[in-house]
Amino acid sequence: MFKEFRKELEWGGRTLVLETGKIARQASGAVMVTYGETKVLCTVVAEKTERPGIDFFPLSVHYQEKTYAAGRIPGGFFKREGRPSEKETLTSRLIDRPIRPLFAKGFKNEVQVICTVMQHDMENDPDIVAMVGTSAALCISGAPFMGPIGGARVGRINGEYVLNPMLDVLPESDLDLVVAGTKDGVLMVESEASELSEEVMLGAVAFGHTGFQPVIEAIIELAEHCAKEPMEIPGAPEGVDGLKAKVKELAEAGLRSAYTISDKLERQGAVAAVKDTVTQTVSESGDFAKELLETTLGDAFKSVEKSIVRLSILETGVRIDGRDTKTVRPIVTEVGVLPRSHGSALFTRGETQSIGVATLGTGSDEQIIDSLEGSYRTNFMLHYNFPPYSVGEAGRFGATGRREVGHGKLAWRAIHPVLPSKEDFPYTIRVVSEITESNGSSSMASVCSASLALMDAGVPLLRPVAGIAMGLIKEETGVAILSDILGDEDHLGDMDFKVAGTEKGITSLQMDIKITSITPKIMEDALDQAKAGRMHILGEMGHTIDHGRDSVAATAPRIETFKINKDKIRDVIGAGGKVIREICETTGAKIDLDDDGTVKVAAVDATAMQAAIDWVKGIVAEPEVGAIYNGKVVKIMDFGAFVNFMGPRDGLVHISELANRRVEKVTDVLSEGQQIKVKLIGIDDRGKVKLSMKVVDQETGLEIVPEQKAD
């Protein structure tokens, strides 16, 4: 019934298996990939006809994790998977970025990739498995995909590179780098590093590129046996060459003039005016079909733009805004721009601007993440917002998109390696980057504003972090590496290369390459130029603040940490949480209690904090004979009164210990709820506590020493 095809190889110390022909046979291409015991089903559907009236390639990639893959049932009321998690969104982007440039130019049929994690062995991350499976499914689908690509994760443990490290050893690695590319070159890099040198990072990229070559060979061999006939790519529409020539004739002079304007909005306005004029002129001429104009005019206009900008930079070394290739735009930094926040900063670089806001919270503010590997908590969050006004548009405004998630995670990776440990700084940290202007890398601006805001909040960063975005223009006539690229240079260039780090080394590297002929020398030169730019930015930031403040803001909670005996945890919590809830409600402090007996008490007000600390310590303290305590009368009996004197502990003040005189009735001296001072005079064999009131001065709390009789 099934015509199955299978390819197996040893890769990184585990078996990688590619299988097709049995599952999802109606998809254009479907491959079940097994690595270790992790299984991912990767499917591709390429529509047979082009979507009419579009001037872009409609590719969508969806990576999804099913909880059954790890033998779990989803939480929540509906008990089924909901909106994509951050991991799913980031992995979808991770797969999309290297495959998108490899589709044949002019192909506009809709392509949908769906990768479903069917089984997770808790050892091998499914993201690399999904990337490999997507490449294989595309290669057998018949879609005009100029692959295959391979992908690998590179770790570094004890100074040695490790190919596809397992999840349990990854925490020991000072590098987590994902690299993807073809047989000839690298297309995508995503990484987090512990202040590593440029040489180490380049070595990791080369190691990963070499490491996934056997996978590319295996995909080629699989495709040779079962690939579908390639889809026909429609030829250029009739009249397209004439249209391109006409657009160039009409637009070139105006675009050359527009691209001498350094201000972004003015330049965009001038370019838009040229495009409107060209569109109107060409449309009114009647020389070209309406359908041709709808699908080709935009590409033709962009081609002229691209040629003018790129060749001008290569020929003159002068960029759109008048800079040379290495100069970083003017930088202005401020901290404390929002005085009531715990930490805030404004970072402006040219026409890109970010407001970073840091908030310090307690353990109860930690984010709980429910993943296939299980639930865990994180005490550092960095969120990125990109409102449409930042680029002068009235655009979609609503739920967080993939771009916001990806940019926020990139900045998170850049900052995370320099944060203090939870033991040294027991706060939950949230940073929000609000992009208020954008023309160039707003994610790297977010790294800078976040670093400044954290230092303003008193977070003891290991070192300040800065980021810079690099670009590339590569033609037969030459190569230009661009520091601190503009938005137009990003769109019209061949590479988007983002590097973040400290003065000591790189903490995050992200690279997307639109061409396949990037040499190691170009990458090395780009990293060296990025380092110089990063050092310059760090210097500018250092004029404002270069280390964390000595203390957290007055508006931030103070946290005191101490330990109690684990056997006493139940006493502090109380039945159903009654005791700890009463402490928090009465004092206004927050209390986090760990299983090992660690107590964290947080409060903005010092008095509230001390009251909560004293209360907890009073609960767990052991009564000491001879010590004097403050107590509260909780019950009156004929023979004495029971007094609560230490947390939940009560003791008896016998009627004979009430006063230095005969007391007829206990109620003559005490009433329930009365605050008194008592001395612990004994504990019997049954643990009953005996207290005395008469030996303590009720005003001073000092013990009354009996007068000695004269001889």
Side-chain angles (χ1 to χ4, degrees):
M1 180 176 180
F2 302 116
K3 190 175 181 180
E4 299 180 56
F5 298 90
R6 175 187 173 97
K7 185 65 185 175
E8 181 177 319
L9 70 153
E10 287 300 310
W11 186 44
R14 281 140 284 168
T15 302
L16 177 71
V17 181
L18 308 175
E19 299 173 282
T20 187
K22 184 176 182 179
I23 297 174
R25 292 171 296 163
Q26 296 183 50
S28 304
V31 176
M32 178 73 82
V33 188
T34 305
Y35 192 44
E37 293 185 353
T38 292
K39 288 180 176 286
V40 182
L41 174 64
C42 302
T43 64
V44 172
V45 172
E47 293 288 359
K48 302 295 187 293
T49 58
E50 181 178 307
R51 188 194 294 180
I54 62 170
D55 59 356
F56 62 93
F57 172 42
L59 168 68
S60 62
V61 178
H62 306 276
Y63 167 89
Q64 54 183 356
E65 296 181 336
K66 300 297 186 179
T67 57
Y68 59 69
R72 298 174 55 238
I73 295 174
F77 182 78
F78 293 105
K79 296 300 177 185
R80 71 176 298 160
E81 291 81 3
R83 59 174 295 180
S85 66
E86 183 180 88
K87 167 72 180 294
E88 290 171 312
T89 298
L90 293 171
T91 305
S92 298
R93 284 171 54 88
L94 202 68
I95 297 169
D96 184 297
R97 286 156 50 195
I99 66 174
R100 186 174 290 271
L102 296 182
F103 282 88
K105 189 174 182 181
F107 182 67
K108 296 175 183 175
N109 298 24
E110 184 170 3
V111 176
Q112 185 179 66
V113 176
I114 299 177
C115 303
T116 306
V117 180
M118 311 290 288
Q119 180 173 291
H120 191 359
D121 62 7
M122 303 301 168
E123 292 182 341
N124 298 287
D125 198 314
D127 56 0
I128 297 298
V129 184
M131 184 181 292
V132 169
T134 297
S135 175
L138 283 168
C139 287
I140 67 173
S141 69
F145 176 67
M146 306 299 116
I149 66 162
R153 172 170 275 106
V154 179
R156 185 173 177 268
I157 300 174
N158 298 324
E160 298 290 331
Y161 295 125
V162 180
L163 184 66
N164 296 334
M166 291 188 179
L167 291 172
D168 59 344
V169 302
L170 199 55
E172 303 171 23
S173 175
D174 58 11
L175 173 67
D176 182 2
L177 180 143
V178 174
V179 57
T182 63
K183 182 177 181 180
D184 299 322
V186 172
L187 290 171
M188 186 275 297
V189 176
E190 185 81 53
S191 65
E192 179 184 338
S194 300
E195 297 184 290
L196 299 180
S197 69
E198 283 71 14
E199 292 76 17
V200 170
M201 298 300 288
L202 277 174
V205 173
F207 178 83
H209 183 253
T210 301
F212 62 62
Q213 294 307 312
V215 176
I216 290 179
E217 293 298 325
I219 293 173
I220 291 173
E221 292 176 14
L222 180 72
E224 286 174 347
H225 289 91
C226 60
K228 295 180 179 177
E229 287 297 316
M231 299 173 65
E232 289 189 13
I233 304 173
E238 184 178 350
V240 68
D241 292 336
L243 176 61
K244 289 181 176 179
K246 187 66 174 178
V247 169
K248 182 176 181 181
E249 174 190 337
L250 295 171
E252 187 167 12
L255 284 177
R256 287 192 183 278
S257 175
Y259 276 105
T260 62
I261 301 172
S262 60
D263 182 81
K264 175 190 172 183
L265 294 180
E266 289 184 30
R267 182 173 64 253
Q268 286 182 338
V271 170
V274 174
K275 187 173 184 179
D276 289 344
T277 300
V278 171
T279 302
Q280 183 176 355
T281 302
V282 172
S283 300
E284 291 176 352
S285 70
D287 296 334
F288 306 99
K290 181 180 179 182
E291 183 179 337
L292 178 65
L293 295 179
E294 288 177 347
T295 59
T296 311
L297 182 58
D299 284 344
F301 190 83
K302 185 175 180 179
S303 178
V304 179
E305 280 188 277
K306 191 172 183 179
S307 176
I308 289 172
V309 172
R310 292 166 64 90
L311 293 178
S312 175
I313 293 174
L314 288 174
E315 291 169 1
T316 67
V318 178
R319 296 156 66 178
I320 296 170
D321 58 358
R323 287 182 290 153
D324 62 25
T325 58
K326 297 182 179 180
T327 300
V328 176
R329 288 170 290 175
I331 292 172
V332 178
T333 60
E334 300 175 49
V335 293
V337 294
L338 301 173
R340 289 290 300 171
S341 67
H342 300 164
S344 60
L346 177 66
F347 178 85
T348 308
R349 185 191 62 237
E351 295 168 309
T352 298
Q353 187 178 76
S354 168
I355 296 177
V357 186
T359 306
L360 304 180
T362 64
S364 61
D365 297 310
E366 290 183 342
Q367 183 178 17
I368 301 173
I369 298 175
D370 192 22
S371 70
L372 286 186
E373 294 82 13
S375 296
Y376 64 94
R377 304 171 76 97
T378 177
N379 71 326
F380 175 51
M381 297 157 276
L382 196 154
H383 298 143
Y384 165 101
N385 296 316
F386 190 87
Y389 67 74
S390 65
V391 288
E393 297 177 358
R396 183 188 70 86
F397 187 77
T400 305
R402 285 188 174 188
R403 183 178 187 275
E404 284 81 1
V405 173
H407 281 39
K409 189 63 175 183
L410 175 58
W412 185 95
R413 290 191 180 104
I415 297 291
H416 183 248
V418 301
L419 288 174
S421 67
K422 285 179 66 174
E423 291 72 27
D424 294 335
F425 193 74
Y427 286 90
T428 296
I429 304 169
R430 181 185 185 227
V431 181
V432 178
S433 171
E434 300 285 356
I435 303 303
T436 49
E437 292 183 36
S438 180
N439 181 20
S441 179
S442 54
S443 62
M444 294 297 96
S446 298
V447 171
C448 299
S449 69
S451 178
L452 291 167
L454 287 168
M455 290 188 287
D456 185 50
V459 179
L461 297 183
L462 195 61
R463 271 168 287 277
V465 184
I468 186 170
M470 310 295 293
L472 175 72
I473 295 173
K474 186 175 184 294
E475 298 283 356
E476 292 181 0
T477 56
V479 174
I481 298 171
L482 312 178
S483 295
D484 181 24
I485 56 174
L486 302 173
D488 288 336
E489 292 168 339
D490 183 8
H491 299 318
L492 304 176
D494 298 320
M495 177 179 74
D496 183 11
F497 196 3
K498 296 171 182 174
V499 188
T502 68
E503 61 180 14
K504 183 179 178 182
I506 293 171
T507 56
S508 183
L509 171 65
Q510 184 186 86
M511 181 170 62
D512 290 297
I513 298 174
K514 304 169 189 176
I515 57 178
T516 58
S517 54
I518 298 295
T519 65
K521 181 66 167 64
I522 290 176
M523 289 178 59
E524 182 180 353
D525 290 345
L527 275 174
D528 288 342
Q529 194 167 315
K531 181 178 181 180
R534 185 175 84 244
M535 294 304 177
H536 169 73
I537 297 170
L538 284 168
E540 293 297 303
M541 291 166 55
H543 295 323
T544 301
I545 189 170
D546 62 1
H547 64 276
R549 299 196 186 281
D550 294 335
S551 62
V552 298
T555 53
R558 266 59 176 172
I559 297 180
E560 291 286 344
T561 302
F562 59 94
K563 277 206 166 190
I564 63 173
N565 190 316
K566 289 191 291 186
D567 296 337
K568 299 288 186 179
I569 292 175
R570 182 179 297 178
D571 295 334
V572 176
I573 295 174
K578 178 181 178 182
V579 175
I580 197 169
R581 188 164 56 248
E582 181 184 3
I583 298 173
C584 294
E585 291 174 353
T586 304
T587 64
K590 282 187 176 182
I591 300 175
D592 293 317
L593 190 54
D594 295 339
D595 292 339
D596 65 352
T598 300
V599 182
K600 296 176 184 175
V601 180
V604 175
D605 181 68
T607 303
M609 175 183 286
Q610 194 57 52
I613 291 172
D614 292 344
W615 197 327
V616 172
K617 287 185 175 180
I619 293 173
V620 302
E622 293 293 336
E624 181 182 347
V625 175
I628 294 175
Y629 299 95
N630 291 317
K632 178 182 177 182
V633 178
V634 293
K635 191 173 185 180
I636 292 178
M637 307 294 289
D638 292 340
F639 52 83
F642 287 100
V643 174
N644 175 244
F645 69 99
M646 179 186 284
R649 286 184 174 272
D650 294 344
L652 173 66
V653 180
H654 190 268
I655 192 170
S656 63
E657 294 292 336
L658 291 177
N660 288 308
R661 57 182 173 82
R662 179 176 177 81
V663 176
E664 296 294 337
K665 294 173 63 179
V666 176
T667 52
D668 291 342
V669 178
L670 296 177
S671 58
E672 287 191 8
Q674 184 176 341
Q675 299 288 334
I676 61 174
K677 296 176 176 60
V678 292
K679 178 182 177 181
L680 197 157
I681 57 175
I683 303 176
D684 66 18
D685 295 339
R686 295 177 296 171
K688 301 295 185 181
V689 176
K690 300 177 182 179
L691 303 173
S692 174
M693 180 179 166
K694 70 180 182 181
V695 298
V696 181
D697 188 313
Q698 295 300 306
E699 292 186 3
T700 65
L702 299 176
E703 184 176 0
I704 300 173
V705 179
E707 294 183 5
Q708 295 183 349
K709 296 181 180 180
D711 292 336

